[in-house]
Amino acid sequence: MAATAVPIVAHADDVEEETWGVKGQATYIWQKKPSFDAAYSGPNSLGTQAEKGYSFSGTLFLGVRPWRGGELYFNPEVVQAVPMSGLTGLGGMMNSEQQKGSSPNPTFYRARLFLRQTWGFGGDRQALESAPNQLAGMVDKRRLVLTVGNFSIIDIFDSNAYAHDGRTQFLNWALSTYGAYDYAGDTRGYTWGAAAEYYYDDWVLRGGRFMVPLESNGQRLDTRLTKYHGDQIELEHDHTIGAQPGKVRVLFFRNKEIMGSFSDALAYAALNGGTPDVASVRTGQIKYGYGVNLEQSLSDDIGVFARASRNDGKTETYSFSEIERSLSTGISVKGSSWHRENDTVGLALIQNGLSKAHQEYLAAGGLGVFIGDGRLNYRPERILEAYYSFSVSKGISLTADLQRFYNPAYNADRGPVTVGSLRLHAEF
């Protein structure tokens, strides 16, 4: 699932306002890992045997401008996938295009259906180019944007020019957004809600409330938006260092959901016997967290990024990855210096961690949605990812990607393991 980009055009006078638009994309990702060593395996372990997996997605981005300042978008989507090890055994998952409800049969559904309304308040004029879920046109640099409907939270929050889109950039889940950002969404990553964005020259303030799943990592959403919800607020600042642009974003999120806490599960098992299970102690709980996101251009062809995030680590993962502390950094280089200006090389490092309560829960044999080896020799999970995206022709790219996982699922008794990937991406 890719987030919506907001490309900006250098020459504002060249942009004419679009009244409608049709765009599309298709992405196929093939992955393979060899066998690797492990002292033991559990119900949710990454399999030690050699494995292959794949994912396919196809999306249409349909948009129309029904009135001045208004935009209406509809995205039908199809996915088909077979994940390795049933999508278990890692904190930072190896393919952000994989969905929790993956199936070897094609599944068609509505990915997005939303309305965007923009009110201008003056300042300089800014040109936006035609892009998926964005109609070309002019906007004020001081404006209010309201988005209401069905979409992904990370379409709007926690963007990053170099690490945000698994269809064209890094593949790992923990590089598509903050690793510890348990943002509300169904098993496909989409939800219903509203977000407001206030742009004032180089500053942007965003806030939004969204539906959460009825149950942990479920497909059905809870419509009781006043009682259970996911809230987030983000502040962004654009800056220039050495004539090169950059951005800093700070985000805070707070979810109210029916969740089980790790300490309650451990206490319940101590009193009643058996293995601790968060499903046996679910009740209304609050989860909160925060993140800092940096991106900086060093030249026309080189950009760097970094993210740091953390959540309170008291309760089970509800919508995203089983990560409660995460650091990531990386670099993206365009191929101009070797006469391949449309090619891109990327290199990134990730370190993911768990709270003390979550460590104790897993060590006692507890399971999460994605991880649980039956016991635990805890170490932070570390991931190295590198890719080369080769431009085949306009709109078509072929990418070779390599990921190296140390302490998969935070367990020093397992791994390391290497995953190789090939990605074919086309857009129009």
Side-chain angles (χ1 to χ4, degrees):
M1 180 196 63
T4 307
V6 185
I8 297 180
V9 179
H11 303 291
D13 294 339
D14 295 340
V15 175
E16 295 184 5
E17 185 174 273
E18 286 183 317
T19 57
W20 62 275
V22 178
K23 298 189 182 298
Q25 75 83 31
T27 305
Y28 178 81
I29 299 171
W30 176 89
Q31 297 187 297
K32 182 178 181 179
K33 70 172 179 62
S35 60
F36 66 96
D37 294 329
Y40 48 87
S41 295
N44 282 355
S45 293
L46 186 68
T48 57
Q49 73 279 11
E51 283 187 285
K52 299 177 184 177
Y54 75 90
S55 67
F56 169 78
S57 71
T59 316
L60 282 177
F61 304 95
L62 310 177
V64 63
R65 198 184 299 272
W67 55 75
R68 184 174 181 83
E71 301 159 67
L72 180 64
Y73 295 97
F74 171 53
N75 295 173
E77 191 161 72
V78 58
V79 297
Q80 180 178 346
V82 173
M84 283 190 268
S85 300
L87 206 63
T88 61
L90 294 170
M93 295 294 186
M94 64 183 73
N95 180 0
S96 60
E97 278 283 273
Q98 289 277 10
Q99 298 180 354
K100 299 165 196 171
S102 296
S103 168
N105 299 315
T107 302
F108 295 83
Y109 57 89
R110 179 197 65 248
R112 300 177 180 88
L113 176 62
F114 65 91
L115 176 67
R116 179 188 296 140
Q117 179 67 46
T118 302
W119 295 272
F121 300 128
D124 293 338
R125 296 283 281 167
Q126 185 178 68
L128 302 181
E129 70 176 26
S130 182
N133 292 337
Q134 179 173 281
L135 297 174
M138 301 296 298
V139 294
D140 292 348
K141 289 195 72 174
R142 298 176 183 177
R143 64 190 186 274
L144 175 64
V145 181
L146 178 65
T147 305
V148 180
N150 179 202
F151 53 96
S152 172
I153 289 177
I154 59 172
D155 288 346
I156 293 178
F157 295 86
D158 189 40
S159 184
N160 190 289
Y162 309 110
H164 195 51
D165 186 353
R167 293 170 177 168
T168 60
Q169 300 169 332
F170 296 96
L171 285 174
N172 197 278
W173 282 28
L175 292 171
S176 63
T177 187
Y178 297 113
Y181 186 14
D182 196 12
Y183 66 92
D186 59 24
T187 56
R188 300 182 181 119
Y190 302 106
T191 184
W192 287 82
E197 304 172 85
Y198 180 62
Y199 292 77
Y200 191 90
D201 298 333
D202 295 332
W203 293 89
V204 187
L205 178 64
R206 301 182 176 93
R209 170 166 287 191
F210 299 88
M211 294 180 186
V212 298
L214 272 169
E215 58 185 23
S216 176
N217 291 277
Q219 178 59 30
R220 294 177 59 204
L221 296 172
D222 195 329
T223 59
R224 298 170 293 176
L225 197 55
T226 58
K227 187 172 184 180
Y228 298 109
H229 45 258
D231 293 336
Q232 35 269 302
I233 187 168
E234 180 180 61
L235 182 64
E236 174 185 310
H237 183 251
D238 295 8
H239 62 261
T240 301
I241 298 177
Q244 293 295 327
K247 296 179 188 287
V248 179
R249 302 176 181 90
V250 179
L251 178 140
F252 176 83
F253 75 92
R254 178 183 181 274
N255 298 340
K256 185 175 182 183
E257 300 157 312
I258 302 174
M259 299 178 283
S261 85
F262 302 118
S263 58
D264 287 349
L266 286 164
Y268 185 88
L271 285 174
N272 298 280
T275 302
D277 183 1
V278 288
S280 64
V281 292
R282 284 176 176 150
T283 186
Q285 304 257 14
I286 299 294
K287 174 183 283 188
Y288 65 87
Y290 56 88
V292 180
N293 173 342
L294 311 173
E295 64 177 74
Q296 180 64 50
S297 173
L298 302 182
S299 69
D300 291 342
D301 297 322
I302 302 174
V304 294
F305 68 89
R307 282 189 179 98
S309 59
R310 186 183 182 97
N311 68 50
D312 58 24
K314 297 177 181 178
T315 54
E316 63 183 306
T317 296
Y318 215 74
S319 298
F320 193 49
S321 293
E322 297 207 51
I323 302 170
E324 286 139 7
R325 293 93 172 87
S326 185
L327 296 170
S328 63
T329 187
I331 185 169
S332 176
V333 181
K334 292 290 185 182
S336 301
S337 61
W338 58 93
H339 311 293
R340 295 287 307 176
E341 59 273 6
N342 293 320
D343 291 3
T344 305
V345 175
L347 177 67
L349 297 170
I350 308 166
Q351 177 166 301
N352 299 322
L354 298 178
S355 67
K356 185 66 174 177
H358 199 168
Q359 294 174 38
E360 292 172 352
Y361 173 80
L362 293 173
L367 301 178
V369 175
F370 303 113
I371 62 175
D373 299 323
R375 46 185 160 142
L376 181 69
N377 180 11
Y378 179 78
R379 296 290 188 281
E381 181 182 74
R382 296 186 175 95
I383 306 167
L384 171 66
E385 180 173 359
Y387 76 87
Y388 187 101
S389 177
F390 178 85
S391 176
V392 178
S393 62
K394 183 179 180 180
I396 301 177
S397 62
L398 179 64
T399 301
D401 182 279
L402 194 67
Q403 296 177 71
R404 179 72 166 173
F405 295 85
Y406 298 90
N407 310 320
Y410 314 97
N411 198 338
D413 291 339
R414 312 189 80 251
V417 59
T418 301
V419 176
S421 307
L422 291 175
R423 176 180 61 202
L424 181 62
H425 175 74
E427 56 188 46
F428 64 87

